[in-house]
């Protein structure tokens, strides 16, 4: 199975347009220790021809432009045949609007994510301009669905509903999922938003584990005076609290993804990055190859 990280940063990207935290300042200065990253998405393929995007990043057009394997091979063609979503957060769905050029696509997500998108957002009608443009595939928790030769299973994990739906719809277990992708006997577990280790599928199963690396510490935003919320309140277990479990997991490759621009693990050589590496884990970067 072919797997590429298209975007390794959390919402806002790295550097974030309105942020001058220590990490963003380094990245903006072109410091080689702090490479810019686009917003969270992965690409996976069973055959190297048809690709499924895991999450529709607001940066999807830049990500496709940077990835020759996703370029069209005919006057009207795309190797991107489907998308699968982990949740309805803007950083995971806004890219859908950029994929509207009359290209038939399949969109797999849980029922609550699909209804949050299509029942409450007139803009998504842009993907339904003609019959057959968008095929919606509801993912039931724990049940595998095969798309383009990839078996895709959504596992409900602790998280928060999208900020724009809070107070509008009641939270549901299927609001936030980890995606397990399997082909040719290989498995990848992609879990970019995890509020707690409870309920997670076994971390030993996958060949590649891509895990929530949003924040290093619970009070990262509070300590930097950037927000009032703690990491867990935002639906993200800090790396400090997941690193032990990842170190113990038997996955062949263990990679932190969806890394917020404030997280010092973005800076090569930082104390926090060295701790991640000492635990046998890596910090994702755009273009990272994770073939399994
Ligand atoms: C998150 O990862 O917590 C969300 O992407 C935040 C947001 O929607 O701004
Ligand atoms: Mn996010
Ligand atoms: Zn920043």
């Amino acid at each position: 199975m072919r797997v590429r990280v298209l975007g390794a940063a959390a919402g806002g990207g790295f550097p974030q347009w309105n942020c001058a935290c220590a990490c963003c300042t380094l990245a903006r200065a072109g410091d080689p220790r702090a490479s810019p990253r686009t917003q969270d998405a992965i690409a996976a393929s069973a055959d190297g021809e048809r690709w499924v995007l895991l999450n529709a990043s607001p940066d999807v057009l830049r990500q496709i432009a940077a990835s020759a394997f996703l370029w069209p091979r005919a006057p009207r063609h795309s190797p991107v045949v489907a998308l699968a979503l982990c949740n309805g957060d803007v950083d995971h769905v806004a890219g859908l609007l950029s994929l509207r050029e009359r290209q038939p696509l399949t969109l797999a997500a849980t029922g609550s994510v699909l209804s949050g998108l299509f029942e409450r957002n007139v803009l998504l009608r842009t993907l339904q301009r003609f019959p057959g443009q968008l095929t919606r595939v509801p993912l039931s928790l724990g049940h595998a669905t095969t798309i383009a030769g990839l078996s895709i299973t959504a596992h409900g994990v602790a998280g928060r509903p999208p900020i724009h739906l809070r107070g509008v719809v009641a939270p549901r277990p299927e609001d936030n999922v980890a995606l397990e992708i399997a082909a040719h006997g290989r498995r990848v577990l992609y879990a970019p938003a995890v509020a707690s280790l409870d309920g997670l599928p076994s971390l030993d199963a996958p060949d590649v584990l891509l895990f929530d690396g949003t924040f290093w510490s619970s009070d990262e935003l509070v300590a930097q005076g950037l927000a009032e919320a703690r990491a867990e309140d935002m639906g993200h277990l800090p790396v400090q609290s997941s690193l032990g479990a990842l170190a113990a997991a038997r996955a062949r490759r263990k990679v932190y993804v969806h890394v917020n621009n404030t997280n010092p693990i973005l800076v090569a050589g930082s104390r926090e990055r060295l701790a991640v590496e000492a635990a046998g884990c890596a910090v994702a970067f755009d273009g990272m190859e994770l073939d399994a």
Side-chain angles (χ1 to χ4, degrees), residues 91-111:
D91 60 344
H92 286 156
V93 305
L96 290 170
L97 297 175
S98 297
L99 301 176
R100 66 190 174 280
E101 278 76 22
R102 300 191 64 79
Q103 186 68 32
L105 289 169
T106 292
L107 179 65
T110 64

Side-chain angles (χ1 to χ4, degrees), residues 13-25 28 221 224 226 260-263 266:
F14 180 52
Q16 179 174 307
W17 66 282
N18 63 343
C19 189
C21 73
C23 300
C24 284
T25 302
R28 210 169 270 118
L221 296 181
Q224 297 188 39
L226 299 174
N260 199 56
N261 60 81
T262 49
N263 188 336
L266 285 169

Side-chain angles (χ1 to χ4, degrees), residues 186-212:
R186 302 289 181 170
R187 295 209 279 174
V188 173
L189 185 67
Y190 171 49
V194 178
S196 139
L197 293 173
D198 300 340
L200 261 187
S202 164
L203 300 184
D204 286 337
D207 294 279
V208 180
L209 174 57
L210 297 140
F211 200 83
D212 188 337

Side-chain angles (χ1 to χ4, degrees), residues 128-288:
Q128 300 165 98
R129 297 174 179 187
F130 61 91
Q133 183 180 2
L134 191 74
T135 304
R136 298 186 220 171
V137 176
L139 298 176
S140 317
L141 298 183
H143 292 278
T145 301
T146 300
I147 298 174
L150 291 174
S151 160
I152 300 177
T153 308
H155 298 280
V157 294
R160 306 280 329 263
I163 293 170
H164 54 276
L165 290 179
R166 289 180 202 162
V168 178
V169 293
R172 288 162 64 178
E174 53 176 42
D175 285 337
N176 185 57
V177 301
L179 291 172
E180 183 177 354
I181 312 297
H184 314 304
R186 302 289 181 170
R187 295 209 279 174
V188 173
L189 185 67
Y190 171 49
V194 178
S196 139
L197 293 173
D198 300 340
L200 261 187
S202 164
L203 300 184
D204 286 337
D207 294 279
V208 180
L209 174 57
L210 297 140
F211 200 83
D212 188 337
T214 311
F215 299 112
W216 169 255
S217 59
S218 283
D219 68 346
E220 184 165 312
L221 296 181
V222 183
Q224 297 188 39
L226 299 174
E228 310 273 289
R230 298 173 70 77
E232 293 87 342
D233 302 331
M234 300 174 69
H236 298 291
L237 188 69
V239 173
Q240 275 186 323
S241 302
S242 63
L243 195 54
L246 260 68
R250 285 201 307 267
R252 202 163 44 83
R253 298 187 76 176
K254 301 177 263 194
V255 182
Y256 280 108
V257 293
H258 190 275
V259 187
N260 199 56
N261 60 81
T262 49
N263 188 336
I265 69 173
L266 285 169
V267 180
S270 68
R271 178 178 60 82
E272 295 83 357
R273 169 72 78 88
L274 294 176
V276 165
E277 290 168 352
C281 302
V283 176
F285 54 87
D286 292 16
M288 188 180 202

